[in-house]
Amino acid sequence: RFFPTRAACLRAARSTVAALTQRDFVETRQQNPDLCDVYAVQREGNGWYVKLTLIEEHAGEVVMLLSLHPLEHPIRTASGHQVMP
């Protein structure tokens, strides 16, 4: 388990997505039928993989977090910054 409770997971997900910057961006991937943006971030000294997409809803666009887990291997962002597991 990555988080001790569901509430802790939701708090971590919200704060991680809210803190994303252009420096964290890795790439855009096609994941049928959606385009997804991939980010790599440091959280509490560890590298994390973040994948999200925008979903069209009647009230506007909504961010959908698809992945949030520890990095399995080092990853380099589009800006050249290497994030370690």
Side-chain angles (χ1 to χ4, degrees), residues 4-5 15 17 19 28-29 31 34 36 38 40-41 43-45 48-49 51 54-57 62-63 65-66 68 80:
T5 65
S15 67
V17 170
T28 298
R29 289 186 174 174
Q31 186 167 331
D34 302 309
C36 302
V38 174
V41 299
R43 280 187 45 81
E44 301 174 3
W48 286 76
Y49 180 90
K51 182 169 51 176
L54 294 176
I55 303 294
E56 291 280 339
E57 292 194 348
V62 175
V63 174
L65 181 62
L66 302 174
L68 176 63

Side-chain angles (χ1 to χ4, degrees), residues 1-3 8-9 12-13 16 20 24 26 38-51 65 67-73 75 77 83-85:
R1 287 175 79 162
F2 305 136
F3 303 99
C9 177
T16 299
L20 291 174
D24 305 319
V26 175
V38 174
Y39 296 81
V41 299
Q42 289 286 319
R43 280 187 45 81
E44 301 174 3
N46 297 307
W48 286 76
Y49 180 90
V50 180
K51 182 169 51 176
L65 181 62
S67 295
L68 176 63
H69 58 79
L71 285 178
E72 297 172 357
H73 53 80
I75 191 167
T77 67
V83 181
M84 301 300 289

